[in-house]
Amino acid sequence: MDYFLELFFSGLTRGSIYALIALGYTMVYGIIQLINFAHGEIYMIGAFVALIVSGVCTIYGLSGFAILILAAAIAAVYAAAYGFTLERVAYRPLRGSPRLSALISAIGMSIFLQNYVLLAQTPDFLPFPRLIPDLAFIEPVAHIIGTPELVILITTLITMVVLTFLIKKTRVGKAMRATQQDLSMARLVGINVDNVISLTFIIGSVMAAIGGVLVASYIGQVSFYIGFLAGIKAFTAAVLGGIGSIPGAVLGGLIIGWSESFAAGYISSDYEDVITFVLLVVILIFRPAGILGKVHKQKV
Amino acid sequence: MKIILRDFKKSLLISLWFMFLTFPLVVVRVNTIENVVVWRWSNLIWVAAGSFFLSYLWRYMLARRNRRRKIAEEGVETRGRLQMLLENEQLRNRVLAILLALALVFPLVFDTYQTNIMVTALIFVVLGLGLNIGVGLAGLLDLGYVAFFGLGAYCYAILNHNFDLGFWFVLPIGGMIGCLFGVILGFPILRLRGDYLAIVTLGFGMLFRVIMENWETLSSGPSGIANIDRPGLFGLEMTLAQSTTYIYYIMVALVVLTIIVTNRLKNSRIGRAWIALREDEVACVAMGIDMGRTKLSAYALGAFWAGMVGVIFAAKTTFINPASFTFMESAIILSIVVLGGMGSILGVILGAFILILLPEYLRAFAEYRMLIFGAAMVLMMIFRPQGLISGLRQVYTYKGHKTHVGVKEQPINE
Amino acid sequence: MNESGRKLLEVKGLTMDFGGLRAVDSVSLTVHEGEIAALIGPNGAGKTTFFNCVTGIYVPTKGDILLHPQGEQTRRLNGLKPNQVTEMGLARTFQNIRLFGGMTVLENVMIGRHCRTSSGIFRSILRGSRVREEEQQIVEDSYYWLNKVGLEKYVNEFARNLPYGAQRRLEIARAMATDPLLLLLDEPAAGMNPYETSALEVLIRRISEEEKIAILLIEHDMKLVMKISHPIYVMEYGKKIAQGSPQDVRNNPRVIEAYLGEEVEA
Ligand SMILES: Nc1ncnc2c1ncn2[C@@H]1O[C@H](COP(=O)(O)OP(=O)(O)OP(=O)(O)O)[C@@H](O)[C@H]1O
Ligand SMILES: [Mg+2]
């Protein structure tokens, strides 16, 4: 039973991270119908910036949980800046071009950013400083859920509540939903669609960065390559839940987290990554709209 | 004057923005293992100057692109001079003949090392032409193309090791296996929209590697398969140099074959259906074209070439392991197609030579290879989506045969 | 009602739902051989959706679509894929022009010949005499249609560079190249100037007479509709509200109400 619970919580932890990244995919897709291939790279850059900030701090003698929060904040700012620039440089000039063009541009950007970090930093894995202290009260259940998992779960929960509030209750949220419904109509009623799109990239990137920092401090290492796999898995989560749907992204993330964790725990960890792809293919074949997605007929 | 000032201000701001953006990654380098921080301030100057200058270039290029688009919308001719020259069939054939002659004497003039590099370039020419069928002609973005290449390579390696089958016997089998898997994998996924297709094929590409790494009994896992036989010539003993030259000529022949086949297909009933599918799926099916079959044929045919050239690759290197078939290879092949010109045979050939030979001969460039490829993909899509050489327009001649009842018999002058 | 009077297309109780929206509500309609029928109605009435159901792009929620080709068995078109419907003999144009922009004008029409020709991959690679003959035949047939719609001077232009009116006519040529029994035109005169519209009128008449096929036409230009079509079907909010000769329809109070403010009397 304990083993089951352990797997359950580790799946939940992973899943909530996938969900955080998946939200970025889903929100961007909802508005401009583009798979932002470089989104995984934004996540990686977030993790890297956090590593650099906390690394510099620890080397100059500072340490502790506060450093992690500082690192996360700076990482979020940078991820937002990269996300914003990415859209301006690689996607905006291609609005109105065939979808294939935008998609190739996205893939190009993903390759570019990966190699940019590789060249500017290092091809190797770098250890991430341990900044999350072990909490005493969690000691009795530590074999099921540790402090880092708890921190991740709480952080993701807060992030998602904030996001929901932002989208449901604020003016910009309303503008985003309107744009998602019908971009040209939103423009007609006076919404600055360009700003909404930029904002969507910024929000998505911030969440990816939060995910990146959490994973980095949890797993304890960072490399230029981590964005690739995480990106694919998160994308799968978004599709599984129904691309364009925010609750769908969360649900999809959790399902993938659990299936990976249980597959690794009860079957074999060799094929852990395979599970995701099998899930992806199966969903796309049998229910391309995803679990919570609406079946959408293309207008002719 | 005002405009100059405004542009200057803009570029200055952009330059500042990129300094901010690149600061942590380009200036600071932390080594958390040895606990050292390196501050590379000089890089910041490069970023500042580079982004300042490039922002001007960017603005100029974007303005030029938009101007051209407007002209094209008014129906004015926008083909470049090179394009017009190439559309002259006689001239084109002459150029191709000269290129072929050069290709044939190449190993006689250059040494084994150079020939070997050329073989690699030719392998990528075939891969590019194969991927071009799917991506360039039919508009199916395949990010896992390398899996078919790997499939062909492993097919030869395994059959050669376990059953002692020879190169020439396995060569067509490799192509067929690629084709077969193209059909099996393509069947369920080709109904998907373009962007989903991209992700699923990406998944297939990675899946292939994961399986090859873990299925030890079949593939010897990550350590790979060594001592694969080189191609034989009636049991003749060959030195390494001779064997390289031999493989080179095999590759030249395969390239010629690929060019002929893809060119014929492109200008056939099937090829037109592929292109129509790329242009507009809905209109295409409404004109009576079976989407599933058309897509599948493009996808499987692309896989066929990859499988075949995979066999040659295994025979050339005599050693393969899963690390030769990563997403990076898929990305390089895609860059070849995008850079050269989607749908353009000449373009893809040119693209393969540029992308493979440049890093070989400009060592300084090699390190930045993938960075530049990535950037090139973005820039090509924005400024020159048709690639270096766009697909040549096919001109058909009207012979004035009587067709329908009541057809007017007047030749049309072009 | 018309020369032959034989039923060609028979649609019975066609219904199409999009989620909660019923875009087409049990519409029945018959097109006879050799006639030019029209489907009219205000914006959003469901006309295009009706076309999409008939041509297999959408699968209708309810209803029957029957095709009665001469001398052959009746065929039910529901649930067939668009390409199968086209093979059966229905060809269409699109309201928002959907040409293959990166292909030449001639190639666009050649695509129309696809379903009436047969060269496969292997034969195309070998390019034997049969394939070459077929290719040449495709070219000739396509030229025939370009001539007929008056686009011969544009043969080797890219379709996307054509003027608007020419693009609409190219769509007609492409559709006709599939050798249809019934041609479905979705607002062929939209965006045309009066001169182009009258040329279109002549073209539609010529196609109907020379090719002996039936035409079903969606059009907002009442002048054109009243002149060339008989019978006329009127839709509003997904329902068929009237049908009959131009006279009947023009004087029908329901139709006048539906078109309140628009020029029915033209
Ligand atoms: N794919 C779709 N999904 C959802 N609703 C749709 C879809 N296609 C059409 N509709 C809706 O069905 C209704 C009928 O649309 P349709 O395009 O058939 O009208 P129409 O008569 O052709 O109008 P118009 O004269 O403007 O072309 C409209 O309310 C439209 O919004
Ligand atoms: Mg309509």
Side-chain angles (χ1 to χ4, degrees):
Chain A
M1 190 60 203
D2 274 2
Y3 188 54
F4 175 84
L5 280 180
E6 190 193 326
L7 292 178
F8 176 84
F9 279 111
S10 99
L12 187 66
T13 313
R14 285 179 191 217
S16 55
I17 302 271
Y18 292 148
L20 271 184
I21 314 172
L23 285 169
Y25 278 112
T26 263
M27 287 166 65
V28 167
Y29 194 92
I31 288 188
I32 54 173
Q33 279 79 49
L34 169 78
I35 297 180
N36 178 12
F37 260 92
H39 190 59
E41 266 43 77
I42 300 285
Y43 154 91
M44 178 268 293
I45 286 175
F48 237 108
V49 170
L51 171 89
I52 288 166
V53 173
S54 54
V56 169
C57 287
T58 35
I59 289 167
Y60 290 116
L62 305 163
S63 79
F65 195 60
I67 298 296
L68 185 65
I69 291 175
L70 176 73
I74 295 179
V77 169
Y78 267 99
Y82 271 92
F84 171 79
T85 314
L86 169 74
E87 192 268 329
R88 288 296 283 259
V89 172
Y91 303 150
R92 191 168 294 185
L94 287 172
R95 252 185 250 158
S97 296
R99 269 162 78 130
L100 190 64
S101 301
L103 207 56
I104 290 177
S105 178
I107 292 161
M109 217 53 209
S110 165
I111 297 171
F112 176 84
L113 287 175
Q114 242 182 63
N115 286 278
Y116 156 70
V117 174
L118 166 82
L119 290 168
Q121 292 290 320
T122 164
D124 306 318
F125 272 99
L126 285 180
F128 198 91
R130 257 183 65 85
L131 295 169
I132 303 178
D134 281 326
L135 295 172
F137 71 84
I138 210 162
E139 200 60 45
V141 288
H143 57 290
I144 297 171
I145 178 171
T147 315
E149 279 102 336
L150 198 68
V151 170
I152 290 179
L153 287 178
I154 291 171
T155 317
T156 2
L157 200 67
I158 294 172
T159 314
M160 289 189 184
V161 170
V162 171
L163 178 74
T164 314
F165 174 79
L166 199 76
I167 289 176
K168 288 265 152 75
K169 294 278 161 20
T170 60
R171 253 177 76 88
V172 284
K174 217 179 260 172
M176 282 173 74
R177 278 184 291 151
T179 314
Q180 170 154 15
Q181 284 281 322
D182 190 333
L183 194 135
S184 46
M185 195 54 103
R187 185 173 281 142
L188 280 181
V189 299
I191 294 173
N192 187 334
V193 172
D194 284 346
N195 285 354
V196 170
I197 293 175
S198 286
L199 191 72
T200 310
F201 272 87
I202 289 174
I203 294 176
S205 303
V206 167
M207 282 185 299
I210 294 175
V213 178
L214 290 175
V215 171
S217 58
Y218 176 48
I219 309 230
Q221 56 179 11
V222 170
S223 94
F224 75 96
Y225 198 64
I226 58 170
F228 190 66
L229 204 58
I232 294 184
K233 289 185 180 173
F235 173 78
T236 309
V239 173
L240 178 60
I243 199 144
S245 148
I246 289 178
V250 177
L251 181 68
L254 292 179
I255 292 179
I256 291 197
W258 275 318
S259 42
E260 272 186 12
S261 157
F262 286 120
Y266 287 120
I267 308 168
S268 148
S269 61
D270 281 349
Y271 287 90
E272 183 186 296
D273 296 339
V274 176
I275 296 279
T276 316
F277 297 127
V278 173
L279 262 176
L280 178 64
V281 174
V282 171
I283 305 152
L284 285 177
I285 291 167
F286 293 106
R287 200 178 154 80
I291 300 172
L292 298 182
K294 283 186 276 288
V295 180
H296 193 80
K297 280 211 179 69
Q298 189 194 359
K299 262 195 192 179
V300 174
Chain B
M1 192 59 211
K2 229 172 165 179
I3 294 175
I4 296 176
L5 205 67
R6 197 198 60 198
D7 278 359
F8 183 77
K9 250 200 216 148
K10 251 197 211 162
S11 287
L12 211 62
L13 275 175
I14 290 174
S15 170
L16 279 174
W17 174 252
F18 275 94
M19 279 160 73
F20 161 74
L21 211 57
T22 52
F23 173 76
L25 290 161
V26 171
V27 174
V28 191
R29 180 186 262 154
V30 194
N31 189 331
T32 43
I33 305 170
E34 284 151 20
N35 279 342
V36 281
V37 190
V38 189
W39 300 84
R40 299 164 293 175
W41 292 105
S42 63
N43 284 351
L44 205 56
I45 298 167
W46 288 113
V47 169
S51 53
F52 184 80
F53 169 72
L54 287 176
S55 71
Y56 267 99
L57 194 64
W58 179 269
R59 256 199 306 275
Y60 167 74
M61 296 285 285
L62 215 54
R64 199 176 81 144
R65 175 191 85 160
N66 293 341
R67 219 165 38 234
R68 289 211 169 163
R69 270 199 192 164
K70 223 179 240 135
I71 294 173
E73 262 165 34
E74 283 155 12
V76 180
E77 186 64 73
T78 48
R79 283 178 298 167
R81 187 165 305 153
L82 176 71
Q83 203 69 30
M84 302 242 213
L85 278 180
L86 287 172
E87 280 177 16
N88 177 344
E89 203 178 332
Q90 233 180 351
L91 189 77
R92 194 168 70 219
N93 288 342
R94 214 169 294 161
V95 171
L96 284 177
I98 292 172
L99 285 180
L100 183 63
L102 286 180
L104 288 178
V105 297
F106 186 88
L108 309 178
V109 180
F110 293 95
D111 59 13
T112 308
Y113 175 74
Q114 308 289 344
T115 311
N116 224 344
I117 291 175
M118 215 50 179
V119 172
T120 308
L122 292 176
I123 285 177
F124 275 89
V125 168
V126 174
L127 286 172
L129 288 172
L131 185 64
N132 186 39
I133 297 175
V135 177
L137 295 177
L140 306 168
L141 189 50
D142 181 356
L143 297 180
Y145 190 61
V146 77
F148 298 119
F149 181 51
L151 209 58
Y154 266 98
C155 177
Y156 178 49
I158 292 166
L159 290 179
N160 182 256
H161 259 226
N162 298 340
F163 304 103
D164 215 23
L165 294 179
F167 171 82
W168 288 107
F169 187 75
V170 182
L171 188 63
I173 296 181
M176 247 104 83
I177 294 263
C179 195
L180 183 72
F181 271 81
V183 172
I184 294 171
L185 297 179
F187 193 72
I189 62 165
L190 285 173
R191 290 180 309 159
L192 301 174
R193 274 211 316 269
D195 28 17
Y196 284 5
L197 185 72
I199 284 275
V200 174
T201 50
L202 181 66
F204 279 156
M206 296 187 59
L207 219 56
F208 173 77
R209 219 188 73 203
V210 172
I211 292 173
M212 286 302 132
E213 273 171 5
N214 289 301
W215 195 350
E216 298 268 349
T217 45
L218 183 76
S219 66
S220 319
S223 52
I225 302 175
N227 294 325
I228 304 166
D229 287 343
R230 290 171 196 282
L233 182 63
F234 308 116
L236 234 60
E237 281 290 322
M238 276 188 281
T239 64
L240 189 64
Q242 285 168 333
S243 167
T244 304
T245 312
Y246 183 43
I247 293 180
Y248 174 85
Y249 283 117
I250 295 175
M251 265 325 292
V252 170
L254 186 65
V255 167
V256 171
L257 181 72
T258 317
I259 293 174
I260 292 173
V261 169
T262 42
N263 189 46
R264 283 192 170 180
L265 279 174
K266 192 179 149 201
N267 301 320
S268 75
R269 174 175 170 271
I270 304 293
R272 281 191 301 272
W274 288 339
I275 299 173
L277 200 64
R278 176 190 77 191
E279 296 285 318
D280 188 327
E281 275 187 16
V282 173
C284 187
V285 293
M287 287 306 117
I289 290 171
D290 186 331
M291 185 165 78
R293 252 176 49 196
T294 308
K295 279 187 177 176
L296 204 59
S297 64
Y299 192 68
L301 209 73
F304 173 81
W305 293 111
M308 196 130 113
V309 85
V311 174
I312 301 186
F313 174 77
K316 173 201 171 229
T317 54
T318 69
F319 165 72
I320 54 166
N321 68 353
S324 310
F325 310 105
T326 61
F327 173 66
M328 201 176 90
E329 274 70 33
S330 283
I332 292 176
I333 305 168
L334 182 65
S335 317
I336 287 174
V337 176
V338 168
L339 182 80
M342 288 192 275
S344 156
I345 293 175
L346 280 173
V348 170
I349 298 171
L350 184 67
F353 280 119
I354 293 177
L355 260 53
I356 303 302
L357 297 185
L358 223 54
E360 284 295 341
Y361 291 113
L362 294 176
R363 280 288 153 193
F365 176 81
E367 198 188 339
Y368 297 96
R369 186 168 71 141
M370 290 312 288
L371 187 80
I372 294 172
F373 288 0
M377 275 158 102
V378 178
L379 295 176
M380 283 314 256
M381 284 300 111
I382 297 174
F383 298 116
R384 211 180 152 81
Q386 77 274 30
L388 290 177
I389 303 177
S390 62
L392 299 178
R393 135 173 33 186
Q394 182 70 16
V395 175
Y396 300 86
T397 45
Y398 171 63
K399 294 204 180 130
H401 291 311
K402 217 177 183 120
T403 54
H404 286 60
V405 215
V407 64
K408 272 188 251 133
E409 271 192 82
Q410 43 176 254
I412 313 301
N413 27 4
E414 285 146 37
Chain C
M1 211 162 146
N2 59 71
E3 311 94 275
S4 68
R6 228 182 56 80
K7 277 182 192 168
L8 182 64
L9 177 77
E10 200 178 5
V11 179
K12 292 184 201 158
L14 189 78
T15 301
M16 180 75 211
D17 292 340
F18 293 115
L21 176 82
R22 182 153 285 192
V24 177
D25 192 354
S26 47
V27 173
S28 300
L29 172 159
T30 309
V31 183
H32 296 85
E33 262 175 6
E35 76 183 10
I36 303 177
L39 182 59
I40 63 170
N43 289 110
K47 307 178 296 291
T48 300
T49 307
F50 179 85
F51 265 29
N52 287 339
C53 290
V54 171
T55 53
I57 290 181
Y58 297 154
V59 179
T61 315
K62 260 196 299 221
D64 273 318
I65 305 159
L66 303 172
L67 184 71
H68 311 284
Q70 192 166 21
E72 282 174 62
Q73 224 176 330
T74 295
R75 292 191 175 118
R76 195 161 174 273
L77 302 183
N78 302 47
L80 290 189
K81 281 194 242 150
N83 56 301
Q84 293 168 316
V85 175
T86 308
E87 252 171 74
M88 300 275 164
L90 263 60
R92 71 172 290 178
T93 64
F94 294 91
Q95 179 175 356
N96 46 341
I97 303 173
R98 304 191 80 127
L99 288 167
F100 308 117
M103 301 173 84
T104 65
V105 168
L106 183 70
E107 283 171 328
N108 267 273
V109 186
M110 288 168 83
I111 286 294
R113 297 301 301 158
H114 186 96
C115 60
R116 302 291 174 225
T117 44
S118 62
S119 304
I121 291 189
F122 291 107
R123 291 210 279 127
S124 296
I125 293 173
L126 297 176
R127 201 172 271 187
S129 64
R130 232 167 83 208
V131 172
R132 270 176 292 156
E133 267 164 36
E134 189 182 83
E135 273 289 291
Q136 194 56 41
Q137 194 58 46
I138 293 174
V139 173
E140 309 294 320
D141 293 345
S142 306
Y143 261 102
Y144 169 79
W145 277 109
L146 283 183
N147 258 323
K148 196 139 193 163
V149 302
L151 291 178
E152 62 276 10
K153 64 172 182 236
Y154 294 118
V155 255
N156 291 321
E157 292 296 322
F158 283 121
R160 68 165 108 76
N161 294 344
L162 248 51
Y164 194 77
Q167 293 199 358
R168 287 226 174 268
R169 274 182 295 154
L170 178 55
E171 277 221 335
I172 297 179
R174 186 179 66 175
M176 284 309 297
T178 64
D179 278 349
L181 303 170
L182 170 66
L183 177 65
L184 301 132
L185 300 172
D186 197 345
E187 302 199 18
M192 284 189 171
N193 60 35
Y195 172 74
E196 287 173 319
T197 307
S198 62
L200 178 76
E201 183 194 321
V202 175
L203 176 65
I204 295 177
R205 281 225 167 93
R206 266 187 68 194
I207 290 177
S208 160
E209 281 159 21
E210 293 174 12
E211 306 297 323
K212 309 257 181 299
I213 63 161
I215 294 174
L216 177 59
L217 167 83
I218 295 178
E219 191 44 70
H220 278 298
D221 185 333
M222 285 307 147
K223 237 194 260 166
L224 177 68
V225 171
M226 296 293 167
K227 256 200 250 166
I228 61 174
S229 41
H230 180 205
I232 296 173
Y233 297 86
V234 190
M235 280 178 77
E236 190 193 17
Y237 296 122
K239 290 198 175 72
K240 185 172 75 180
I241 55 167
Q243 76 181 75
S245 67
Q247 243 68 30
D248 299 344
V249 166
R250 200 184 324 221
N251 300 326
N252 187 319
R254 280 279 284 144
V255 179
I256 294 172
E257 196 187 329
Y259 271 95
L260 208 63
E262 286 190 45
E263 28 158 358
V264 199
E265 57 287 338

